[in-house]
Amino acid sequence: SAANRLHGLWLYSLEQGSQTRLTDEMADARSPSFGRDGKHLYFLASNNAGAKLAGIDMTTDVYRPTYSVYALSLKASTPSPVAPEYGDEKAAKAGDEGADKAGDKAGDKGSDKPADSAKDAKGKDAKAKASEAPAKAKTTEIDLAGLSLDAIRGRVAALPLPARAYDGVEAGKGGSLYLAESDDGAAGEGQGATLSRWTLEDRKSDKLADHVVAFQLSADGEKMLVGQSAGPPGPGARKLNWTVAAANAP
């Protein structure tokens, strides 16, 4: 945290041996999560959390800070995930794909050349070997190092989600975000958080679980480990029920 006790996000470059601040010093930023496509960094930020951070006395309990969800483009050439689209863009793409498929089928029907069985066998062997070979790790390209905070602000987009008492955000598959919303505005208090899944494609939220104290997505994004409170809060260790569930279903 900074001198004003607000949390900030920083990028450290191993290549340059330098660090670059990514978020404004007047906002409390936390819960960074890289998108699985390597294009954006998602995080939470609040401009009214200051009175709650110190926790000096019980007067801080009356505040309910809220956080909004933001996306930072990791490269200058990467557009905002919520950039406006023309209404006919998706329809045009679907039409193009249909035309391409129709053309391929027509080409297949018009071809009179018989298939060479030996070449087909070699092709199948090559495909089998390719499928057995381990997939190469995809490199995430980031050109934020050394940029001014003003330049970085120009790449930050607020996602169309209401400001709420979010505890954390984690990026999943297919442009989905998993959000934990506290029931009392303070992480770690009450009976846990409400876990929901929001998608960039339809921009809708689906409630997944209540009383969630912790959750973790699997490496492939297909499953999640969820820890739910087994009873009301009280002294001593909290009892949790742990389950493994599909990441895209309640």
Side-chain angles (χ1 to χ4, degrees), residues 3 14 22 25 37 46 73 75 88 97 103 110 114 119 138 168 173-175 185 192 205 215 223-225:
L14 292 173
L22 302 180
E25 61 183 6
D37 58 2
S46 171
S73 297
K75 288 190 65 179
D88 59 349
E97 290 177 359
K119 290 182 179 180
K138 186 178 180 180
K173 292 183 63 178
S205 294
F215 75 98
K223 302 284 187 180
M224 67 164 55
L225 178 66

Side-chain angles (χ1 to χ4, degrees), residues 81-98:
V82 290
E85 292 182 349
Y86 291 105
D88 59 349
E89 279 189 353
K90 293 182 179 179
K93 290 179 181 178
D96 293 342
E97 290 177 359

Side-chain angles (χ1 to χ4, degrees), residues 32-42 72 74 140 170-173 175-177:
S33 179
F34 285 99
R36 303 217 167 200
D37 58 2
K39 295 181 178 180
H40 299 94
L41 175 68
Y42 300 96
L72 169 62
L74 299 178
T140 299
E170 187 169 350
K173 292 183 63 178
S176 59
L177 296 178

Side-chain angles (χ1 to χ4, degrees), residues 154-191:
R155 297 200 202 175
V156 177
L159 300 187
L161 282 157
R164 290 179 177 172
Y166 297 121
D167 289 341
V169 59
E170 187 169 350
K173 292 183 63 178
S176 59
L177 296 178
Y178 294 81
L179 295 158
E181 181 185 348
S182 176
D183 60 358
D184 55 6
E189 300 177 8
Q191 294 189 42

